[in-house]
Amino acid sequence: MLQIKRAGHSTLTTPDIERMVDYFTGIVGLSLATREKNRAILATKSGVEAIVLERSSAVDAPRLSFQVAPGSDLGEVASRLKKAGLKSERRSDITPGIGEAVAFKDPKGTTLEIFSDFAFAPEDTSYTGVMPLKFGHVAYQCPDVQGMVKFYCDMLGFRVSDWRSDFFVFLRCSRDHHTVNFLRDAKTSIHHIAFEVRDWSDIKRACDMLAKNNIKLTWGPIRHLIGHNIAVYHKNPDGVVIEFFCDLDQIHDEELGFFEPRPWHQDRPQRPKVWGDETPSNWWGPMSRGPGHGNTAAPATATDFQHKAVPKARAPALARARTRRVEKKSRR
Ligand SMILES: [Fe+2]
């Protein structure tokens, strides 16, 4: 098994690369690190590569890069993949920051580029756009969510943070509550890409920035139940949903097994679990008809902000046992 440490960058294809460069630099506030005829590499202002744009007739997200521990032997990575029956290839010059990588496909067909070492892009001191701290997470729709969980956990070292029912999963590879999500759908496609911003004041600034540029929010501001991040969503010029978020749950010590306690957690301690259908409605998924599903259902309601207990009948047995222990303790 590999041990992924973080997501590197997402590669997006676009028919109008000029328009997308303008959007990612002017609105999102990334720095244009490299510009070639049919490709652009965008990094955070502090120089961490986040998005690669490639010219193509179709809008897609065909590749995703992940970092393993610095100094890792990529030959060893390739032989582990081979042992698991996966065909991979060594690639060079992925971006100016990533000289070497091992590439292979995940079960839904996304090419994963695994790298161990990278170089920062030059710092950009200009003040433009939202200026996120990092590329935070990426969500895909695909038919076989369970198969993706097995692959990402068994092969890449991800852990399950939460499920929404059995159709939407949140996987982590670091302290962050989620770095990849998979949402069950008949077709495979990108669902949304998320950038982390510093705090709520940056979320407000993002809303102002979007409004000033006549870009409507498709959802939010909201504090999610799953992951508890504050988030706003909009669509970029290619129609891909982009999220800005802050305050995502953190798991600081895997052995402790719970997320950083915060006052808005409905369970204390907050542990990975399955959120049942009775919990307040989410914008995603077959039960909601959200922006990823191309319709304009009613916007999020007040119930999205309420903290209701997960009905015990729907919670996993383990969570119920833990709840009983906590309740017993608190009665003493
Ligand atoms: Fe998200």
Side-chain angles (χ1 to χ4, degrees):
M1 182 174 78
L2 309 183
Q3 188 57 66
I4 301 300
K5 297 277 187 187
R6 72 174 182 98
H9 64 270
S10 174
T11 298
L12 304 177
T13 56
T14 175
D16 193 338
I17 198 164
E18 288 76 20
R19 185 173 66 166
M20 290 296 277
V21 167
D22 286 348
Y23 162 79
F24 274 111
T25 54
I27 304 295
V28 178
L30 295 179
S31 173
L32 182 59
T34 302
R35 182 72 169 92
E36 297 160 359
K37 186 168 176 250
N38 293 315
R39 192 170 81 134
I41 286 110
L42 297 129
T44 62
K45 295 285 183 183
S46 60
V48 181
E49 292 172 346
I51 295 289
V52 172
L53 297 173
E54 287 181 355
R55 195 186 301 277
S56 168
S57 56
V59 172
D60 199 2
R63 299 195 299 283
L64 181 61
S65 76
F66 287 121
Q67 186 176 10
V68 292
S72 297
D73 179 354
L74 291 182
E76 172 64 21
V77 168
S79 61
R80 283 191 206 178
L81 293 169
K82 192 176 176 186
K83 252 185 218 166
L86 289 166
K87 212 170 126 190
S88 69
E89 64 178 44
R90 289 292 286 267
R91 289 185 184 172
S92 301
D93 301 324
I94 302 292
T95 62
I98 302 174
E100 291 289 326
V102 176
F104 60 100
K105 283 188 190 295
D106 73 10
K108 63 179 163 40
T110 304
T111 297
L112 306 183
E113 294 167 324
I114 309 295
F115 64 98
S116 57
D117 297 280
F118 77 100
F120 286 91
E123 185 189 11
D124 179 352
T125 55
S126 65
Y127 192 92
T128 54
V130 177
M131 298 187 292
L133 300 177
K134 71 178 185 191
F135 168 48
H137 61 265
V138 57
Y140 291 92
Q141 295 161 201
C142 58
D144 184 11
V145 170
Q146 293 286 356
M148 294 307 299
V149 170
K150 185 163 174 42
F151 182 85
Y152 272 68
C153 291
D154 293 355
M155 197 61 237
L156 304 178
F158 279 74
R159 281 85 68 197
V160 173
S161 287
D162 278 317
W163 278 94
R164 179 151 194 113
S165 187
D166 62 351
F167 65 84
F168 198 3
V169 68
F170 299 72
L171 302 178
R172 69 180 181 278
C173 62
S174 66
R175 292 179 177 188
D176 290 353
H177 177 274
H178 53 280
T179 294
V180 291
N181 302 340
F182 299 112
L183 172 65
R184 192 173 63 221
D185 199 280
K187 66 179 189 331
T188 295
S189 64
I190 183 78
H191 186 270
H192 70 275
I193 287 177
F195 295 96
E196 183 174 19
V197 299
R198 189 178 309 275
D199 53 24
W200 168 232
S201 68
D202 269 4
I203 293 282
K204 287 191 286 185
R205 201 169 55 80
C207 293
D208 287 342
M209 177 73 60
L210 293 169
K212 249 187 184 173
N213 287 276
N214 287 324
I215 300 172
K216 287 184 179 161
L217 296 180
T218 52
W219 190 24
I222 182 176
R223 183 180 291 287
H224 285 297
L225 284 170
I226 304 176
H228 294 97
N229 41 318
I230 294 174
V232 287
Y233 296 80
H234 69 281
K235 286 184 180 178
N236 75 11
D238 276 346
V240 175
V241 174
I242 302 292
E243 172 188 359
F244 294 117
F245 72 91
C246 65
D247 267 0
L248 184 67
D249 281 353
Q250 301 285 302
I251 194 153
H252 285 283
D253 186 333
E254 285 288 335
E255 285 184 40
L256 295 177
F258 58 81
F259 297 105
E260 181 187 84
R262 294 182 185 182
W264 45 84
H265 279 173
Q266 61 178 324
D267 304 338
R268 283 186 286 273
Q270 178 80 22
R271 294 179 189 271
K273 63 168 177 276
V274 177
W275 296 75
D277 290 343
E278 296 85 349
T279 48
S281 164
N282 200 319
W283 200 240
W284 310 128
M287 59 187 283
S288 62
R289 301 148 54 94
H293 295 266
N295 65 55
T296 52
T301 66
T303 57
D304 286 310
F305 300 91
Q306 291 170 8
H307 291 175
K308 292 178 181 174
V310 178
K312 288 181 183 176
R314 299 301 298 255
L318 199 60
R320 289 201 300 275
R322 276 196 203 107
T323 305
R324 279 197 297 275
R325 280 201 300 278
V326 171
E327 286 172 351
K328 207 171 164 188
K329 243 184 190 175
S330 64
R331 281 199 297 271
R332 281 180 196 154

